[in-house]
Amino acid sequence: MEKVLYEVELPLIEVLASMEVDGVRANSQFLDDFGVELKKQISEKEQEIYQEARTQLENNGQLQENYALLVAGKNWHQGVIGIVASRLARDYNRPTIVLTIQDDHAYGSGRSIGSLNLVAALSRTAPLLERYGGHPMAVGIGVKADLIEAFYEEFEQHVREQMSEADLEEFTAYDGECSINELDSEFFDYLNELAPFGHGNQKPVYRFNETCQKTVPEAIIAFLESSGFEDAIRCGISLGGDSDTLT
């Protein structure tokens, strides 16, 4: 039997309802364990759906022919499809919509790229949708399952009106260049002061040229290893240079 995502056991309800400090302390280990297990379940479910979505894209011709991507699966968990949409949009540099089909209806999340206004594109397809909303870079939608194909055709058409082939080419825009010696605690403190990041306040990206691993201080190597290089990029770090660079 498939394990239910977000399964809640009685002790958690008791802790939340008790409002007693002693009760919280007595069950603190359970709460820690619950949090770890919940995070693990979410990560596993996200990866499962992500792989299914990639398989669809590798076989349905969208990557070769279309500007926008749409994938759908029966009973995909709504709690993670937004994350999957973000990953796919980033991986393929295309606006992406991920839908979960539940009976006769489909619900989903969309993520944009570049300057494409997703809300504007969806507004042109409104007659086919049950609902939609969000902001230019991230949306949520509802559509009847038997209208998914018609919706996607309309959506693709309106995305093409706002984008060109050049917009689909992968590139990295840098906000500035830094020396590796500037990566100290003050740098990261300053980076944190720029938060919160999101639409209208994107994370800054800095380029470090000709940076070889042997020239990077051990403390920085430890930071990159502990956070994962991909996470470091998301925090605003991008290393570039010759073939010996950290990639």
Side-chain angles (χ1 to χ4, degrees):
M1 179 180 295
E2 183 181 2
K3 192 167 186 178
V4 178
L5 192 63
Y6 306 137
E7 181 179 5
V8 179
E9 299 180 17
L10 182 59
L12 178 61
I13 303 300
E14 292 177 347
V15 170
L16 295 178
S18 69
M19 299 299 290
E20 295 290 338
V21 174
D22 291 341
V24 173
R25 288 174 178 170
N27 289 280
S28 60
Q29 185 59 54
F30 166 79
L31 291 174
D32 289 342
D33 294 342
F34 177 84
V36 171
E37 178 62 24
L38 181 59
K39 184 177 181 180
K40 178 183 177 183
Q41 288 186 42
I42 293 173
S43 178
E44 290 175 349
K45 185 61 64 174
E46 173 197 333
Q47 189 62 21
E48 175 187 323
I49 295 174
Y50 172 74
Q51 292 299 337
E52 290 183 27
R54 288 197 59 165
T55 298
Q56 283 189 28
L57 294 173
E58 290 168 0
N59 292 293
N60 62 16
Q62 291 184 20
L63 294 174
Q64 292 73 37
E65 302 172 2
N66 294 11
Y67 283 23
L69 304 178
L70 184 147
V71 291
K74 288 187 177 181
N75 298 315
W76 281 354
H77 200 283
Q78 285 186 261
V80 298
I81 57 177
I83 302 173
V84 173
S86 294
R87 292 179 64 181
L88 294 172
R90 183 178 68 243
D91 290 349
Y92 297 111
N93 197 42
R94 283 169 168 78
T96 302
I97 290 179
V98 179
L99 298 174
T100 175
I101 302 173
Q102 300 175 6
D103 298 323
D104 297 330
H105 300 270
Y107 310 95
S109 295
R111 296 296 184 270
S112 188
I113 62 168
S115 60
L116 174 69
N117 186 325
L118 268 186
V119 175
L122 287 177
S123 69
R124 306 284 296 278
T125 68
L128 295 171
L129 299 176
E130 293 184 304
R131 64 173 183 266
Y132 72 94
H135 60 73
M137 298 301 292
V139 297
I141 72 169
V143 60
K144 290 184 178 179
D146 59 0
L147 292 178
I148 292 176
E149 185 175 348
F151 159 70
Y152 180 46
E153 291 178 359
E154 286 277 330
F155 180 64
E156 169 72 12
Q157 176 184 337
H158 298 307
V159 167
R160 284 177 176 268
E161 293 173 358
Q162 295 190 46
M163 300 182 68
S164 67
E165 288 188 15
D167 294 321
L168 305 181
E169 296 178 1
E170 295 186 15
F171 73 96
T172 302
Y174 298 103
D175 295 291
E177 297 185 356
C178 291
S179 164
I180 198 67
N181 294 325
E182 295 179 272
L183 287 182
D184 52 20
S185 59
E186 184 177 355
F187 175 90
F188 292 106
D189 288 342
Y190 174 74
L191 197 63
N192 288 331
E193 289 180 3
L194 300 178
F197 301 112
H199 180 61
N201 186 34
Q202 299 294 320
K203 294 180 180 180
V205 178
Y206 301 97
R207 182 178 179 88
F208 299 85
N209 296 312
E210 298 180 358
T211 301
C212 300
Q213 183 166 347
K214 63 183 179 181
T215 69
V216 180
E218 291 185 5
I220 301 302
I221 294 292
F223 169 79
L224 295 176
E225 290 178 346
S226 64
S227 64
F229 187 63
E230 183 178 13
D231 289 337
I233 293 178
R234 294 175 187 173
C235 290
I237 304 171
S238 181
L239 305 179
D242 58 27
S243 60
D244 293 329
T245 57
L246 288 170
T247 55

